[in-house]
Amino acid sequence: MEATGFPTSADIYLELDGRKIAVVQGYTARASKSSQSVEAFGESEPVATIEGQRKYTLELTRLYATEDAVSDGINFYELGDFSLVICKPDRKVIYSGCQWSAIQEEGQLNAMVAEKVTVVASKRIETTA
C-alpha cells in the first residue's frame, strides 16, 4: 500500500519555460527578510519596524535531469530564471525567479545528476491543489 501525504521526487521538480527539466529528491527551504527600525527623536526604543525584502534560499539534493532536458543538452551550470515546484497533497508551492548560488557534484563525469544545488528565489507563491 502506498503512503499518501508525503512528496516524492516526482512531486518536486525544476521548471524552465513551462517544461519540467529536472526532478529533485529532497529540499530544505529557508525564508528570511530584512527589517528596519524607525527611530524617533527623544525615544529610547524604536517606534515601529518596517518590513523589508524577503529572500528564499533552497538547498536541493539529488537533481536528475529529465530525458527531454538531457536530449536538449541541459547544463545545470547554465540555468537561470527557473522555478522550483513542490506539489503537496493540498497545495502547490512555487519558488520562481530562481538562480543557483552553489552546485556540488559527486560521481561520474558527464552524469546528468547534481548532488546538491543551493538556489536563491525571488518569489514564493502557494496555490490550492
Side-chain angles (χ1 to χ4, degrees):
M1 186 169 165
E2 189 174 318
T4 59
F6 296 99
T8 64
S9 61
D11 299 322
I12 308 167
Y13 57 90
L14 296 186
E15 192 175 80
L16 180 66
D17 299 328
R19 295 177 41 228
K20 186 185 289 191
I21 57 168
V23 293
V24 179
Q25 186 174 354
Y27 74 97
T28 302
R30 288 189 315 269
S32 60
K33 67 179 174 180
S34 59
S35 59
Q36 184 175 356
S37 297
V38 178
E39 299 177 4
F41 182 75
E43 296 291 327
S44 61
E45 296 179 345
V47 293
T49 304
I50 298 173
E51 179 179 8
Q53 292 184 329
R54 296 177 187 202
K55 178 181 176 184
Y56 305 99
T57 305
L58 304 128
E59 297 280 340
L60 311 179
T61 53
R62 301 287 299 172
L63 280 72
Y64 297 88
T66 62
E67 287 185 27
D68 287 344
V70 170
S71 65
D72 288 347
I74 186 81
N75 181 343
F76 289 125
Y77 293 93
E78 302 294 323
L79 286 181
D81 198 21
F82 56 92
S83 296
L84 171 68
V85 180
I86 303 163
C87 300
K88 298 187 177 193
D90 58 341
R91 67 191 187 282
K92 184 185 285 190
V93 180
I94 302 169
Y95 291 92
S96 60
C98 295
Q99 300 289 338
W100 67 267
S101 64
I103 296 177
Q104 174 185 332
E105 288 187 62
E106 295 175 13
Q108 301 174 355
L109 292 174
N110 298 324
M112 295 312 295
V113 178
E115 288 297 321
K116 189 174 285 188
V117 177
T118 303
V119 170
V120 178
S122 63
K123 191 179 282 186
R124 179 188 187 276
I125 59 167
E126 280 192 36
T127 60
T128 54

